[in-house]
Amino acid sequence: MTYPPRLSDEQYAALLSDIKDWQITHGSLLKLVHTDEESTVQCQPVGTTFFPTLFPKELFDEAHALQTLFNKLYAAVAEDDEWLRDVLGDLIEVDDLASALWKIYSEMKEEGFVQDLTLGIFRSDYMMHVDSNQSAQQPELKQVELNTVSCAGGVHTNIVSDMHRHLHRTGTYNSNQLPSSDSLVINSSSLPPNSTLKTISAGLAAAHRAYGPAKSQDVTETCILFIVAADNFNIADERPIEYALWDDSIPSSRVSWGHDVLLHTSLSPTHELLYHPPSRPIATEVSVIYFRTGFEIHEYDDIGCMARLQLEKSRAIKSPSILSHLTGFKKVQQALTAPGILERWLNPDEAEKLSRTFAPMFPLDDSPSGQHAKKLALDPETASNYVLKPSLEGGGHNVYGNEMAEFLQQTPEELWKSYVLMEKISPPLLKNFMMSSRGLYEGPVISELGIFGVCLWKRVQEGESARAEMVSELKPSWSLRTKDASVDEMSVVKGYGCFDSPALVGWDIFMSVLKA
Ligand code: ADP
Ligand code: MG
């Protein structure tokens, strides 16, 4: 059986045109900020696949089912500052970002916690993995990473998924294809609706309500504050969340990172965060701070650090708190894969379910496991099976295979401990057509499923330490990104991949398309 169907030149051109029209009319766009003029601005369609990519229904369901456990785990770790300090200790010594964040946390802690609620908006990313010795077997889920700050792509996926379902209902996918006896015909029930925009905005709304009424004197209104990058090209993935909140009668505003935070917000003597809109003389009290930036080291100059500290010291509920932000570091992910560690927060059955999705990961330090990893990374024979990752976010920072030895030789050895080594996931290759600013593509592709987990938890102090108590949790939602199989990286907005949606099928169909 084959998928996607072959298209005539005419069908191909018509589909391309339909896709562009949908993208323009639904905001599936990137803003070309350098073209921003007083009276106009240009945009560009975001990378997208022509067809939904095949995905096994069982793995899609499994990833959703696991999210409650990942929410529980990452909430628990975010309240365990003793364990985090141990795990991040080496990194804090050599990595400027980890050290800046830890310093802000310590200063905040010294003044005392004034808010015990945290909102997690996580995205757990998976690829399918096939053991190279058992290529006839069904693929399994392997986690690439779990993101805890500024998880993007939710709105873009939502729009592309709606587009795929629209193209399906118009018959574009099934009736217009060239007659071909073995082409798979997908039905509408295999295209799951996407609710990521609703899930994220509902999570923010739940946190807003949990904050309750304004607490500071002379202020009556509360609002959600988005902390965003200045000159943001990805507004189409952020603004719709703000609009959805307004539709729910929740005022929300955005402030650019750094200087603008200090200019437009202040801390009341009782730690409420007050937002002073540039256009109104009245201050509003901030209920929830939603970070859509603040994860890159260049943002932590003196002003950036002061801004984050001011936000962190406030009573507003943060998404994420600074410790929850730190749990997304690759070093933490690697530490969680070590045997027996998950049992600190989970029961053995829960721990087993999560660890099945972990690919082997190693530190690059002086421990026995680190020594072993250094050998693997420096030998080109073994290095081809690994990915070297710094503790950075946003795509484009990893070092692969035969570049690894040279890269490490050029890096002072005392800095190696800020990297982790991860076994390469070997995904099955499917096929699709894609369109992005890089051009048109037809051929083998690799998909990454992201599960959005949205949860609100409470910090419960117990003597010197604290634990997390889940307050509320939303049904998880998903994103799918797909790339040319020859590309190692994945970031749609940086041009490596495309937004996509899954066509969910049973194992029999999936395996028969894979073998074709
Ligand atoms: P970032 O924080 O930069 O997003 P990731 O860990 O997600 O870091 O890595 C970026 C991309 O590199 C992933 O989206 C994936 O495409 C690829 N990648 C990461 N880890 C692996 C792995 N173990 N095997 C194969 N590809 C990987
Ligand atoms: Mg990633």
Side-chain angles (χ1 to χ4, degrees), residues 192-207:
N194 187 291
S195 62
T196 309
L197 167 57
K198 264 196 205 139
T199 305
I200 296 174
S201 55
L204 290 164

Side-chain angles (χ1 to χ4, degrees), residues 22-30 44-48 156 159-160 236 499:
W22 179 278
Q23 292 195 285
I24 293 166
T25 47
H26 291 79
S28 188
L29 301 167
L30 299 176
Q44 166 187 294
V46 82
T48 181
H156 280 307
I159 301 170
V160 168
F499 287 108

